[in-house]
Amino acid sequence: MAGSGNLHLREQEKPLLRVEDLVVNFLSAGGETVQAVSGFSIDVLEGETLGLVGESGCGKSTTARAIIQSPKPTAGSIQLDGVELTELDDEEMRRTRPILQMIFQDPISSLNPRRTIRDVVAEPLYVWWEEETGRLAIASWFEKTGNLFQKISSKFSRPARILAPLAWLSLIFWLVSEASDERSLETWLSWLKTPAQFIGFPVLFILAAMAAALSVVGAVWLVLAVILPFGVISGKFGSVTNTVGLTGLFTSLFAVVFLFFRTWSSLGGVAHWLSSGILLLAVGFLAVWSLLACREPSRAGSSALAVLVFMLFAIQVFYIVGLDGNTKLAVFSLSAAVDGILYWLIARRYKLARAQMRQRAEPEVKRVLEAVGMEVEGSLERKPHEFSGGQAQRISIARALILNPKVVICDEPVSALDVSVQAQILNLLEDMKAAYGLTLVFIAHDLAVVKNISDRVAVMYLGKICEVGPPELLYSAPQHPYTRLLIDAIPRPDPEFDQRNAVRIEGELPSPLAPPSGCRFRTRCPNVQAKCSTEEPQMKEVASGHYVACHYPADSELNQ
Amino acid sequence: MIKLKLRKRTREVDETSRTNNSLGLMFWAAVSFLAVLTFCAIFADILPFKNPTQTFKGFNKNGPSGSFLLGNDGVGRDILSRVVYGAQTSLVIAVVGTSIALIIGGSIGLAAGYYRGKVDRLLTIMLNTTLIIPPLILFISLILFLDPAAERRMFILIFTFALLSIAPIGRVVRANTMAWSEREFVLAAQTIGARNGRVMFREILPNVAPSLISYSLIVMATLIIVEGAVAFLGLSVPSPTPTWGDMINKGRPHLDVAPHITLMPALSMFLTVLSLNFIGDKLQEKFESKAAIL
Amino acid sequence: MKVAEDALLEVDNLRTQFDTPGGLLTAVDGVSFSLSKGKSLGVVGESGSGKSVMSRSIMRLLPKVNIQTEGTVRFKSRNLMELAPRDLRKLWGPEMAMIFQDPLGSLNPVVKVGKQVAEGLRVHSGFSKKEARSEALKLLREVGISEPERRLDEYPHQFSGGMRQRIVIAIALACQPDLLIADEPTTALDVTVQAQILDLIEEQRNQRNMSLILVTHDLGVVAGRTDEIMVMYAGRIVERAPTKVLFANMKMPYTEALLESIPKLERPSHSHLLSIPGQPPNMIDAPRGCKFAPRCKYVQDRCVEEEPELISAATPGHLYRCFFPVGSAESADALARNMANGKVDESGSRVHIRT
Ligand SMILES: Nc1ncnc2c1ncn2[C@@H]1O[C@H](COP(=O)(O)OP(=O)(O)OP(=O)(O)O)[C@@H](O)[C@H]1O
Ligand code: SF4
Ligand code: SF4
Ligand SMILES: [Mg+2]
């Protein structure tokens, strides 16, 4: 094995997934190269199930992960539906991911322990929905407050362009005046403090908090006016988005310079320097986000609120630090209250959107969960650890299916399960494949399991393919000595089968740091000859559709 | 069917009662103590506390009495109100210092643990550089250059403390993030097309948060003690603003005749630190046992 | 149960219960069996059927809190249930030893493997440091570790899963136990390594005339290897027979279902597997009648009403717990009725009824 050559690739057909000369090397801790996969080629036709078998450590998982590009392979080509995945940039790859899903070996570990099943299964929908509509949170908020969202999105692309710089300007002026006019704040506070002793602090406190909250809400509105166009137009990366983003960027740059000179000329003292520094940072932050917004609308949408909160925080820190002893605490509690209200508002809106998305996702979630044979009633709000391994694996399958993928890569989905549950999952995968028209890559170490589910099986050893063929042929006439040994290793539920006579593979997989020369299997091969250590066997066809990479395959005369 | 539902109900009740029990009475005692202290500190101005800087003639070094619940200090000031106002200083320094460290150190740790490789190396170097500065020297030189007149001492304190807490917090987050990133649900989130930010904040952070919270509480407790030590050197917020460390320091000469002057602030500091540590430990324990079932 | 004369281990009416927040969970319920010297017993069942708790109960290796154990476990005529922890500890190692599923978990990550193998020898056999080391060397060689001289001084993480399990076996064998309990020793391993490890256990058992309890969820693992097989479900023994008898004349529908859910190489690919629908019952308050009834394809009204006893089949030593044993006229009848009323589909699988 350790076979090279791509004879087994079906050139005349158009495969859905085509992997050619895949190489994955890792850098080991000692700085050496781990040759996990070395020249692996395979193709999978639409609707076909490819089985991949091999020992632990032979590179099955590495191959699977290279196919989904995390991490990207060292070399080689991977084509999905004619698209070369290795040439996609991160963003393009991310957009391709929905059609290429994966199921993992450890069912429990592949579900986030802190999520409910509802959210675990619906998460793929959330990810793409949020992207689709900008921020659903903001959308729903605007919907609520007079359908501004609709209005502006439909025709106000030009006003948006004017609105954006205006919004930026007013925001920045607001910030600057708040930040630099310390005296006015102190007057305000003294006003707050003196009557507090007479009328009662709480009343005033609430009033003040409301006033502050209002100005904050105003600011949020302004910022949202900026974000809005991004969110609205996110579907089409139109020129409006870019315009808005760039105006935002220039305005904030302008503001930075403005702020800088103003601070420099009128203020002194370390705290003021530092506070201006913080403000500069905050504004710079906004600028960066605007820049990003040009490329990625929803990212700016989701982050602008965070930036706003961050700026408020910075201002607060500055005030609190700069004030004298007693006012400090008053301001501290005041701003804490304001923050509280603000966070609460944001959280509410956010929650609302979550709730909406949950509602929207519910039929889908129920559909896939039912499809994988889960009881929907009562399981939606439960956490992964409350389920058995088999159930958790069903949930994983449901999650993979919810995006309607074309190809699903199953990395040992049944190895951690009991035989009875294994049978359930294997049947389920077959059913799902039929129902959703899936193409599967099924990885396992047990040839009997692989044979049961596959249309074509590839046997892998130390990063290379030994033998490829239809499962029946592979079983009835295994050509590669390694395949033979794999077959013998399968535990037979048959007391007449004498396990003691079965040929056993000796020793361990050699280290992928220094794979053997020639045929990689030669160190453990019962048929090894001199030629095997010098010459690497090439793929050759032994029967129709049955390929082997061995100098002395079982049926060859030399072997006899 | 009905029976099944009933059983589920009782089970839930059992579980909640068990979680409460497992935290224990001491935990809630610690929480209440901190809650009362924080409340008093925030609303000290409106609550009926005496002026912490007012000296009451003739009450010098008096022990606890009806009108001065914790007694008076060397110059006759009310120790109770000084302890409460001292708590303001200690809590503000501890909470703000830890929060800043949490935000910065937490983000650095999260990014380093998630991206690994070059990002990790760079960020780790950043974290480590904050550790090579000797803390006291940093602190004293900051004072010398920026705040010789002790006008902005609070700011300098918070800045130094935050800077010093960034690395420990960053490391804890980094290690935790690395461990959680190994889990397959992180890869699963990537395969559905989630962006890195989303994976970090929505998938990993909620899992890292519990241990992070308990660790921050312990950092907070440490900061309170360090503030005390700094005050002992006379470098903390200057008089007459009360701080616990300063009160302990000032009470020292009277230790033989009026030990309560030292004892009361020391006791408050002790109880606060103990409570924070205790809560941190308990939470850690609880999260760990929960993580074990996960 | 009749006790064999040369029995090494006799378990009588063993019952283990856990006090959980949801109620009393019966993990092992009235298990009785005996094992002769030099014989091997395979224990088969799904996860959650009580196999591991049973083997730990026999070893008395369960945690102390919230657990109630009843019944007797006689090992060489001594009742283990009455032994003090000190005496038990003397037993573990030289008399009985256990191997677990997760080899990494049962090794100390910071101690060199040589030392871990030698430790038992030093404690129980009073070997000197040097003797223990040379004995450990011999053991490692016996369990098939190449270059044992070098590997003695390595740490567990430097070994692959299969090699780790070999080391665990070496530790277990060090003090020449008379009974080895292997709890899913190969579940975490791939098939090729599994075959190697099973061969190794088998070979060592023969050499040392040791008794073996091999716990697994896969009938294929024990089929050609153990003298007898005991199938467990819901904490109970549901079938027990000498291996050949069991496969030739299976009585228990559960055993049959377990066997059918294994993918067989001889079958063409894409053949539908007869899986067992649903899950094992909740052991806090399990259903009244036969515990397998909700998943059984032969189920009749009677099964839901009363629980079958463990009864003897015609062949000596063959016990089962079913009213409609596989292969009988009654069962064929029952199946036909179930097919007619839709409980079983055309492919012969029980239809899962959602509750
Ligand atoms: N990140 C990594 N850094 C270094 N080496 C790695 C890394 N990931 C995998 N390897 C090595 O690559 C080889 C192939 O590993 P891989 O996980 O693909 O095997 P596998 O066939 O999936 O095994 P299993 O059956 O245990 O899942 C192994 O030698 C492994 O140690
Ligand atoms: S016979 Fe030679 S080429 Fe074929 S598998 Fe064995 S070592 Fe490799
Ligand atoms: S007693 Fe009835 S339900 Fe139980 S196994 Fe036998 S046939 Fe099935
Ligand atoms: Mg793998």
Side-chain angles (χ1 to χ4, degrees):
Chain A
M1 87 164 49
S4 291
N6 294 334
L7 197 66
H8 58 291
L9 290 179
R10 292 163 286 192
E11 300 295 350
Q12 63 286 7
E13 274 150 297
K14 195 172 171 295
L16 184 60
L17 179 71
R18 188 171 196 274
V19 180
E20 202 175 329
D21 298 325
L22 181 74
V23 177
V24 185
N25 293 337
F26 295 107
L27 218 55
S28 79
E32 293 160 290
T33 309
V34 181
Q35 304 182 20
V37 179
S38 319
F40 175 96
S41 305
I42 202 75
D43 50 9
V44 191
L45 304 183
E46 182 151 10
E48 196 179 46
T49 301
L50 170 77
L52 196 57
V53 247
E55 264 171 288
S56 174
C58 73
K60 306 181 297 283
S61 300
T62 308
T63 307
R65 285 173 194 214
I67 293 174
I68 62 162
Q69 306 289 305
S70 56
K72 273 186 182 287
T74 313
S77 132
I78 294 160
Q79 286 178 2
L80 175 66
D81 217 358
V83 179
E84 179 59 52
L85 297 185
T86 49
E87 282 165 11
L88 298 184
D89 70 16
D90 287 355
E91 183 55 27
E92 288 164 334
M93 186 56 215
R94 208 176 61 77
R95 292 186 181 274
T96 315
R97 291 199 182 281
I99 58 166
L100 182 62
Q101 288 296 297
M102 188 154 168
I103 302 168
F104 303 92
Q105 171 168 4
D106 184 344
I108 303 283
S109 144
S110 58
L111 306 175
N112 190 336
R114 297 203 182 267
R115 291 282 186 79
T116 58
I117 294 315
R118 171 201 293 282
D119 285 344
V120 164
V121 176
E123 178 69 13
L125 295 181
Y126 298 163
V127 167
W128 293 101
W129 281 350
E130 281 179 18
E131 206 133 297
E132 226 170 77
T133 53
R135 193 76 176 172
L136 213 78
I138 293 163
S140 71
W141 191 49
F142 276 98
E143 242 168 283
K144 272 198 139 184
T145 51
N147 242 338
L148 248 157
F149 178 74
Q150 284 285 316
K151 276 188 225 156
I152 300 182
S153 68
S154 52
K155 28 193 139 117
F156 285 75
S157 61
R158 189 132 58 122
R161 237 178 293 167
I162 305 160
L163 197 61
L166 270 182
W168 281 105
L169 267 182
S170 22
L171 175 67
I172 283 152
F173 276 121
W174 176 73
L175 285 175
V176 168
S177 62
E178 282 280 289
S180 54
D181 196 358
E182 196 176 341
R183 196 171 317 136
S184 79
L185 185 84
E186 257 161 32
T187 345
W188 184 55
L189 276 167
S190 65
W191 168 80
L192 170 76
K193 235 193 135 197
T194 351
Q197 274 134 23
F198 299 101
I199 315 171
F201 191 82
V203 179
L204 260 179
F205 184 80
I206 292 165
L207 280 179
M210 274 167 63
L214 274 182
S215 69
V216 166
V217 171
V220 174
W221 260 101
L222 287 176
V223 175
L224 288 186
V226 186
I227 302 161
L228 193 63
F230 303 164
V232 176
I233 308 152
S234 67
K236 11 177 174 140
F237 276 53
S239 57
V240 184
T241 320
N242 291 338
T243 324
V244 173
L246 284 173
T247 13
L249 175 70
F250 284 124
T251 349
S252 19
L253 279 180
F254 167 72
V256 170
V257 177
F258 172 79
L259 198 65
F260 181 77
F261 281 111
R262 175 151 181 183
T263 317
W264 189 32
S265 55
S266 66
L267 298 170
V270 177
H272 289 153
W273 268 106
L274 282 166
S275 63
S276 333
I278 292 173
L279 274 179
L280 286 179
L281 259 179
V283 178
F285 218 55
L286 268 182
V288 172
W289 283 117
S290 314
L291 189 64
L292 285 174
C294 300
R295 235 191 102 211
E296 208 40 75
S298 69
R299 187 184 281 188
S302 62
S303 311
L305 281 177
V307 173
L308 183 79
V309 170
F310 172 77
M311 286 196 300
L312 283 173
F313 177 77
I315 296 164
Q316 285 161 14
V317 168
F318 151 65
Y319 274 134
I320 291 162
V321 167
L323 294 173
D324 68 74
N326 291 335
T327 5
K328 195 163 9 200
L329 256 288
V331 180
F332 184 67
S333 43
L334 190 70
S335 53
V338 174
D339 285 359
I341 294 169
L342 180 67
Y343 292 147
W344 179 75
L345 282 173
I346 294 173
R348 244 187 54 125
R349 213 165 309 126
Y350 179 67
K351 269 223 174 94
L352 187 81
R354 261 273 136 136
Q356 279 189 340
M357 283 204 293
R358 285 212 175 104
Q359 216 182 348
R360 208 173 127 192
E362 184 150 327
E364 279 291 287
V365 171
K366 284 190 169 157
R367 181 180 63 84
V368 285
L369 280 178
E370 253 157 34
V372 299
M374 286 288 293
E375 264 171 54
V376 176
E377 222 45 59
S379 47
L380 284 181
E381 306 306 331
R382 292 205 277 160
K383 301 264 173 81
H385 66 90
E386 295 175 56
F387 294 89
S388 69
Q391 286 174 314
Q393 201 59 289
R394 286 174 193 266
I395 294 167
S396 290
I397 295 174
R399 169 178 59 189
L401 291 180
I402 204 164
L403 287 173
N404 288 320
K406 283 189 185 161
V407 179
V408 179
I409 298 175
C410 315
D411 186 7
E412 307 216 32
V414 295
S415 299
L417 306 175
D418 273 10
V419 275
S420 59
V421 185
Q422 166 177 299
Q424 293 175 7
I425 298 294
L426 288 174
N427 286 342
L428 174 68
L429 282 171
E430 291 268 25
D431 295 348
M432 291 300 107
K433 185 184 157 190
Y436 290 82
L438 301 175
T439 302
L440 297 182
V441 176
F442 185 94
I443 299 177
H445 56 74
D446 186 336
L447 194 56
V449 171
V450 168
K451 180 181 180 218
N452 187 277
I453 198 167
S454 308
D455 301 308
R456 195 160 182 244
V457 175
V459 180
M460 202 173 167
Y461 185 83
L462 208 59
K464 298 209 174 204
I465 291 190
C466 317
E467 187 165 3
V468 189
E472 316 300 345
L473 266 180
L474 219 64
Y475 163 64
S476 58
Q479 294 302 309
H480 201 283
Y482 183 59
T483 314
R484 167 91 245 147
L485 295 173
L486 275 184
I487 291 174
D488 271 356
I490 297 166
R492 313 262 169 139
D494 173 10
E496 306 302 330
F497 178 81
D498 194 352
Q499 315 263 9
R500 280 156 261 210
N501 274 350
V503 188
R504 286 286 180 258
I505 185 165
E506 299 286 323
E508 275 185 281
L509 206 63
S511 160
L513 283 172
S517 62
C519 171
R520 286 195 173 180
F521 187 53
R522 73 179 160 82
T523 52
R524 299 162 83 192
C525 180
N527 309 346
V528 61
Q529 307 290 324
K531 185 179 172 192
C532 304
S533 59
T534 51
E535 211 174 300
E536 182 169 21
Q538 299 292 311
M539 271 293 169
K540 54 192 164 210
E541 188 163 18
V542 282
S544 161
H546 188 179
Y547 300 84
V548 65
C550 171
H551 294 309
Y552 310 101
D555 288 350
S556 72
E557 291 123 49
L558 264 168
N559 201 33
Q560 304 305 316
Chain B
M1 196 63 216
I2 290 167
K3 200 177 152 221
L4 213 94
K5 268 209 175 123
L6 268 179
R7 183 163 7 109
K8 221 168 173 185
R9 180 80 50 78
T10 49
R11 214 190 218 161
E12 270 159 30
V13 172
D14 279 340
E15 257 157 45
T16 44
S17 62
R18 195 178 40 155
T19 31
N20 283 349
N21 285 347
S22 73
L23 285 171
L25 203 68
M26 278 298 287
F27 177 84
W28 293 110
V31 170
S32 328
F33 174 75
L34 285 183
V36 170
L37 189 76
T38 317
F39 180 81
C40 290
I42 290 181
F43 296 104
D45 286 346
I46 349 165
L47 292 171
F49 290 117
K50 300 198 168 62
N51 185 339
T53 50
Q54 186 183 349
T55 54
F56 295 90
K57 288 231 163 63
F59 286 97
N60 298 14
K61 301 180 221 166
N62 261 18
S65 63
S67 45
F68 301 101
L69 289 176
L70 297 183
N72 301 72
D73 70 1
V75 289
R77 291 175 296 199
D78 177 25
I79 295 186
L80 175 62
S81 100
R82 286 185 68 75
V83 163
V84 168
Y85 278 86
Q88 286 189 347
T89 322
S90 294
L91 290 182
V92 166
I93 290 179
V95 171
V96 177
T98 313
S99 315
I100 295 175
L102 206 57
I103 292 172
I104 301 177
S107 331
I108 292 181
L110 206 56
Y114 179 72
Y115 289 108
R116 313 233 172 149
K118 281 197 197 104
V119 180
D120 181 27
R121 254 168 278 148
L122 191 79
L123 292 177
T124 309
I125 290 173
M126 265 171 67
L127 286 182
N128 289 343
T129 40
T130 66
L131 286 182
I132 55 169
I133 318 168
L136 203 62
I137 295 181
L138 169 75
F139 182 59
I140 292 176
S141 43
L142 276 179
I143 289 176
L144 276 181
F145 288 110
L146 300 178
D147 191 30
E151 285 157 350
R152 303 266 178 249
R153 194 50 58 84
M154 190 89 145
F155 182 86
I156 306 275
L157 277 170
I158 292 179
F159 178 80
T160 326
F161 286 2
L163 191 70
L164 293 176
S165 319
I166 286 175
I169 288 183
R171 287 181 170 191
V172 167
V173 176
R174 174 177 171 269
N176 265 304
T177 308
M178 278 195 172
W180 283 102
S181 306
E182 297 277 297
R183 297 273 192 125
E184 282 169 341
F185 70 80
V186 172
L187 186 59
Q190 289 163 354
T191 49
I192 59 172
R195 288 197 167 86
N196 288 331
R198 191 189 180 97
V199 178
M200 272 192 278
F201 287 99
R202 294 272 276 274
E203 305 284 342
I204 299 177
L205 189 62
N207 287 297
V208 173
S211 60
L212 183 59
I213 290 168
S214 32
Y215 188 70
S216 326
L217 287 176
I218 292 166
V219 169
M220 244 178 239
T222 317
L223 291 190
I224 289 181
I225 294 187
V226 175
E227 191 274 331
V230 170
F232 213 74
L233 298 173
L235 293 176
S236 184
V237 185
S239 292
T241 314
T243 81
W244 289 344
D246 187 49
M247 288 166 74
I248 297 172
N249 193 20
K250 294 273 161 62
R252 228 169 8 144
H254 316 295
L255 209 53
D256 45 348
V257 280
H260 70 276
I261 301 180
T262 314
L263 207 62
M264 295 305 172
L267 199 67
S268 343
M269 189 190 272
F270 172 74
L271 284 178
T272 311
V273 169
L274 191 72
S275 303
L276 283 172
N277 274 319
F278 192 79
I279 295 172
D281 283 350
K282 265 283 173 215
L283 288 180
Q284 181 77 42
E285 222 171 81
K286 190 175 146 63
F287 293 135
E288 250 162 33
S289 65
K290 210 166 163 202
I293 26 172
L294 296 185
Chain C
M1 174 184 265
K2 236 161 122 164
V3 167
E5 287 303 300
D6 55 348
L8 177 79
L9 177 76
E10 293 159 44
V11 177
D12 191 27
N13 209 7
L14 182 69
R15 183 187 317 274
T16 307
Q17 293 174 309
F18 294 91
D19 220 348
T20 69
L24 205 58
L25 189 153
T26 312
V28 178
D29 199 356
V31 166
S32 308
F33 68 92
S34 73
L35 181 64
S36 317
K37 182 141 183 54
K39 292 287 180 197
S40 57
L41 172 71
V43 178
V44 185
E46 276 168 286
S47 79
S49 60
K51 304 166 303 213
S52 293
V53 177
M54 186 199 72
S55 38
R56 280 167 198 246
S57 305
I58 293 173
M59 288 287 280
R60 298 241 358 238
L61 266 178
L62 288 166
K64 301 280 168 303
V65 284
N66 295 337
I67 285 191
Q68 300 165 18
T69 322
E70 282 166 39
T72 51
V73 175
R74 270 176 204 288
F75 180 76
K76 295 189 176 166
S77 318
R78 276 201 288 178
N79 188 351
L80 297 189
M81 291 309 203
E82 287 159 4
L83 284 191
R86 258 189 80 233
D87 300 324
L88 268 175
R89 230 168 289 134
K90 278 193 211 141
L91 232 58
W92 293 335
E95 306 271 342
M96 54 207 292
M98 190 156 178
I99 334 176
F100 301 97
Q101 171 172 347
D102 173 20
L104 192 57
S106 38
L107 290 171
N108 185 339
V110 293
V111 178
K112 289 176 183 164
V113 300
K115 202 160 168 217
Q116 296 193 51
V117 177
E119 188 159 289
L121 291 166
R122 300 201 55 203
V123 173
H124 292 291
S125 318
F127 279 35
S128 74
K129 215 169 179 172
K130 234 174 117 193
E131 286 167 336
R133 193 180 157 91
S134 68
E135 184 67 25
L137 199 72
K138 208 179 109 209
L139 276 163
L140 286 190
R141 193 169 292 131
E142 268 177 56
V143 296
I145 288 184
S146 51
E147 296 183 73
E149 294 85 356
R150 182 171 60 85
R151 308 221 75 179
L152 218 47
D153 291 317
E154 288 185 349
Y155 293 93
H157 71 265
Q158 290 168 291
F159 290 79
S160 69
M163 287 294 140
R164 278 181 209 137
Q165 199 59 291
R166 286 173 192 265
I167 293 162
V168 172
I169 292 173
I171 294 174
L173 295 179
C175 298
Q176 315 277 355
D178 294 313
L179 171 66
L180 179 68
I181 302 184
D183 186 0
E184 308 230 18
T186 56
T187 304
L189 307 173
D190 69 35
V191 276
T192 47
V193 184
Q194 160 166 297
Q196 293 174 347
I197 296 290
L198 292 173
D199 285 350
L200 172 69
I201 293 178
E202 171 110 3
E203 176 196 308
Q204 293 295 324
R205 185 179 77 82
N206 283 337
Q207 267 177 26
R208 293 161 195 258
N209 193 24
M210 190 169 64
S211 305
L212 170 73
I213 298 181
L214 180 60
V215 178
T216 172
H217 63 85
D218 188 351
L219 267 174
V221 165
V222 287
R225 297 184 193 272
T226 57
D227 301 316
E228 274 192 287
I229 292 179
M230 184 164 104
V231 183
M232 283 185 75
Y233 189 74
R236 292 159 175 75
I237 298 178
V238 291
E239 182 157 23
R240 177 171 184 210
T243 305
K244 294 219 161 123
V245 176
L246 184 87
F247 280 94
N249 192 8
M250 204 163 271
K251 294 280 185 210
M252 185 67 197
Y254 179 61
T255 318
E256 184 195 37
L258 273 184
L259 184 63
E260 273 170 357
S261 57
I262 303 174
K264 316 248 175 352
L265 260 181
E266 301 76 29
R267 302 238 184 107
S269 56
H270 301 297
S271 47
H272 185 79
L273 296 166
L274 293 175
S275 65
I276 315 177
Q279 286 178 282
N282 176 347
M283 312 279 273
I284 290 176
D285 41 5
R288 190 151 46 114
C290 173
K291 303 292 171 273
F292 188 54
R295 309 168 74 191
C296 179
K297 63 179 175 183
Y298 304 102
V299 63
Q300 297 297 308
D301 289 345
R302 185 180 172 197
C303 312
V304 186
E305 294 301 320
E306 60 179 302
E307 176 160 14
E309 294 290 315
L310 195 61
I311 50 172
S312 295
T315 336
H318 189 174
L319 304 166
Y320 66 94
R321 196 189 277 274
C322 179
F323 297 126
F324 305 92
V326 179
S328 64
E330 295 96 313
S331 72
D333 230 32
L335 188 60
R337 238 170 296 151
N338 283 344
M339 275 187 156
N341 66 22
K343 271 187 189 155
V344 170
D345 64 19
E346 333 69 71
S347 70
S349 303
R350 168 79 194 261
V351 176
H352 184 35
I353 298 142
R354 297 200 182 134
T355 39

